[in-house]
Amino acid sequence: MPAHSILPHHAHDAPGPVLRGTPLPARRTQAGPVPDRSRPAWAVPVGLGVVLFLYTVFLSHNNGFSEAGGWLLGLVVAAVATGIGYVLVRERNAMIPEVRALSYGALAGITIGFLHSVSGGSWLRSLGIGLGFGVLVGLLSYDVFHWNQYPMRR
C-alpha cells in the first residue's frame, strides 16, 4: 500500500482536537475562499455576562445584600463567568467534543448553582440544582458537538 494513501489529505479529517495554528477550512465562493468571520469570539460570552451581571444584582438586592455588595458580587460573578466563557469559545477547536461538552456543562452548572445560593437556597439544594443543570447542559452540548457534527447522509 502506498504511503500517500494512508496519510490524510487535509490537516484535520476526523473529529477531535485541532492543533494550534492549523487554519480552519474556509467557505468557497466563485471569487475564492472566504474565511469564517460570522461573529467575534467575545460576542456571546459578553452578552451572557451582562445578563448574568444584572440577574445577580437583582437576586442579591432581593436577599439582603447591601447596595455596594450586590453590585460588587454581580461584577465579580459576571467577570469570572465571562472570562471562562471567552476561553471556552476561543479554544473550542482545540478540544474534543466530550471535553468541550463537559466544560460547558460545568460552567453552566456552577453558575446556576451559585445563582440559586444567592437567591437564598440551601447549599445542598443549590448543589443538586447546579449538578442537574450541569448534566443537562453537558448532555445537550455533547449531542450538538458530537452527534450533529456531520450532516445526515441520505
Side-chain angles (χ1 to χ4, degrees):
M1 176 183 284
H4 63 80
S5 66
I6 26 181
L7 296 176
H9 296 300
H10 302 289
H12 185 66
D13 276 344
V18 178
L19 299 175
R20 189 175 301 270
T22 303
L24 296 176
R27 293 175 296 161
R28 307 276 305 161
T29 63
Q30 290 180 349
V34 177
D36 185 20
R37 295 174 198 214
S38 56
R39 72 171 176 259
W42 55 265
V44 173
V46 168
L48 291 176
V50 168
V51 170
L52 183 63
F53 168 72
L54 294 173
Y55 190 58
T56 304
V57 170
F58 170 75
L59 287 177
S60 63
H61 285 175
N62 285 343
N63 290 297
F65 284 79
S66 66
E67 186 77 24
W71 285 97
L72 184 63
L73 180 66
L75 188 63
V76 169
V77 168
V80 169
T82 302
I84 294 171
Y86 174 73
V87 169
L88 288 178
V89 169
R90 183 164 170 114
E91 299 297 324
R92 68 186 177 268
N93 293 327
M95 294 184 276
I96 60 175
E98 293 84 3
V99 173
R100 195 171 6 157
L102 181 68
S103 301
Y104 283 126
L107 178 62
I110 291 168
T111 304
I112 294 298
F114 180 75
L115 287 176
H116 189 268
S117 72
V118 169
S119 70
S122 69
W123 69 270
L124 190 58
R125 186 175 171 115
S126 299
L127 177 73
I129 288 175
L131 186 63
F133 198 81
V135 167
L136 180 67
V137 169
L139 289 174
L140 290 174
S141 299
Y142 181 76
D143 179 55
V144 169
F145 298 146
H146 188 70
W147 296 112
N148 293 329
Q149 186 172 7
Y150 301 107
M152 294 178 55
R153 296 181 185 155
R154 295 180 186 191

